[in-house]
Amino acid sequence: MPDEDARITDADRDRLRDAIVVSARARARGNHPFGAVLVDPAGTVVLEAENTVVTDTDCTGHAETNLVRLAWRTIGPAALPGYSLYTSCEPCAMCSGAIYWSGIGRVVFAMTEGRLAAITGSSPENPTMALPSRVVLASGQREIAVRGPALSEEAAAIHDGFWR
């Protein structure tokens, strides 16, 4: 995968920056630095969620999974195929599964899971899986568009000094 997915638009970059801001807020609140936003078909951010693993003492409190739970309750499954989820880091296997089951139609991510693994190293707080979201999402019966990476350096900057 190239450093930046050529299919990423300027509007996508703007929404990724929104997700990166949410990731910085998660870090400031004592959580792992990950954030995600949900965008409606018109391109408007309608929901956001940050990682809450530490503050909620919940290993499933990843930003994307938190966003999927919120979207399912507030928007509902019938509308979600027209929505896009933007995230500061490529969704892990768990989050990719949640996105798949929610029916959200498009995922756009900033930093790859591989880049995250290089940053976190062997940190027990983030035992990164080498399973790309594209593989997980392509394994189901429903088609979900995946775009990324883009703005990897901006997303990685939020992780500086966190995992040590």
Side-chain angles (χ1 to χ4, degrees):
M1 188 52 129
D3 287 344
E4 182 155 320
D5 187 331
R7 300 167 295 180
I8 300 289
T9 67
D10 287 340
D12 289 333
R13 286 182 191 86
D14 290 343
R15 298 300 67 81
L16 284 171
R17 285 188 177 102
D18 292 337
I20 292 167
V21 166
V22 175
S23 75
R25 190 169 58 234
R27 180 178 177 164
R29 292 183 179 163
N31 285 296
H32 300 160
F34 302 101
V37 298
L38 190 70
V39 174
D40 70 13
T44 303
V45 174
V46 295
L47 297 172
E48 61 181 43
E50 60 192 59
N51 180 291
T52 58
V53 167
V54 175
T55 55
D56 286 353
T57 58
D58 178 359
C59 65
T60 68
H62 293 195
E64 300 89 346
T65 303
N66 288 339
L67 187 61
V68 164
R69 287 183 189 118
L70 182 59
W72 185 265
R73 287 191 305 263
T74 60
I75 295 167
L80 288 176
Y83 284 67
S84 296
L85 186 150
Y86 290 82
T87 183
S88 62
C89 188
E90 181 176 10
C92 71
M94 176 186 71
C95 292
S96 295
I99 292 164
Y100 174 80
W101 287 107
S102 76
I104 292 170
R106 185 170 181 258
V107 174
V108 184
F109 65 88
M111 183 172 52
T112 66
E113 188 83 355
R115 175 80 187 273
L116 177 64
I119 291 170
T120 64
S122 60
S123 172
E125 294 228 16
N126 194 51
T128 304
M129 298 175 75
L131 185 58
S133 60
R134 282 180 174 83
V135 172
V136 176
L137 293 169
S139 298
Q141 298 175 2
R142 173 181 313 142
E143 186 174 332
I144 299 171
V146 180
R147 303 290 183 263
L151 306 179
S152 186
E153 293 302 319
E154 292 179 37
I158 307 302
H159 294 259
D160 283 348
F162 184 83
W163 301 101
R164 296 186 186 109

